Amino acid sequence: MTATPNDNARSEKSEKYARALVEAARQEGRANKDLVQWKHAMKFSFEVLETLSAMRNEDDLDLVSDVERAYNELLESEDETVSVTVTTAVPMDDDLRAKVRAKAEKELDAPIYLVERVEPSIIGGIILEAHGKRFDASVKAQLANIRKTLTSTSIGSDD
């Protein structure tokens, strides 16, 4: 199969972008980190990319965290759907996801949008976050509570 002029032009254009990105990333000492970010770039929606581009053009990238907070506040005040972040030690299967969704919708009396995070350091269990509140039923938290209880309990003699 022979390459067409369009294939060659596309390949050359892609290589130019890649070279520019590699050179810029190397100058900042983060070539590998930028590659990891690049692999996730296609997950961004058009509106997120456009907003980031506009913020960069206005030299406002330092506002990213503030925009996230304001965005979340707007959603919570104007949208019936509640964002619920679920953190587990391993990815949830469909059965657990359905149970978490049903329980959260019942407790919050609203439709929910699940944001799933995997954090192996919690060992097991689950952490739920919604409306700025956190419910931590992770094994890591349970072990920390046991450790705290054991270290705060004084064992002494009956003297």
Side-chain angles (χ1 to χ4, degrees), residues 10-53:
R10 182 182 177 102
S11 179
E12 287 175 16
K13 195 178 226 185
S14 296
E15 187 172 334
K16 284 181 184 179
Y17 282 125
R19 283 192 184 284
L21 180 59
V22 166
E23 288 173 17
R26 282 184 178 151
Q27 287 178 354
E28 298 297 322
R30 58 175 180 234
N32 291 321
K33 184 177 181 181
D34 280 7
L35 176 59
V36 171
Q37 290 180 20
W38 189 258
K39 288 179 180 182
H40 294 285
M42 292 304 296
K43 296 177 184 176
F44 294 136
S45 66
F46 177 77
E47 57 272 15
V48 168
L49 290 172
E50 285 294 305
T51 302
L52 285 169
S53 179

Side-chain angles (χ1 to χ4, degrees), residues 62-148:
D62 61 319
L63 298 176
V64 167
S65 294
D66 295 337
V67 171
E68 177 190 11
R69 181 190 41 73
Y71 187 102
N72 193 41
E73 289 172 0
L74 285 169
L75 273 183
E76 287 189 7
S77 68
E78 298 174 359
D79 194 354
E80 290 180 15
T81 302
V82 176
S83 180
V84 176
T85 301
V86 181
T87 305
T88 53
V90 296
M92 292 193 295
D93 62 20
D94 290 339
D95 185 48
L96 179 57
R97 187 176 295 110
K99 288 177 182 175
V100 168
R101 179 178 299 283
K103 176 79 169 160
E105 285 178 344
K106 182 178 178 187
E107 291 293 321
L108 297 169
D109 193 28
I112 65 158
Y113 176 77
L114 278 183
V115 177
E116 298 180 32
R117 291 181 43 216
V118 175
E119 181 55 54
S121 70
I122 71 168
I123 305 168
I126 193 167
I127 300 171
L128 296 172
E129 297 171 89
H131 290 305
K133 295 180 183 170
R134 178 180 169 106
F135 172 75
D136 190 341
S138 68
V139 172
K140 183 177 181 178
Q142 292 171 25
L143 290 172
N145 286 336
I146 291 169
R147 184 179 305 112
K148 182 179 175 183

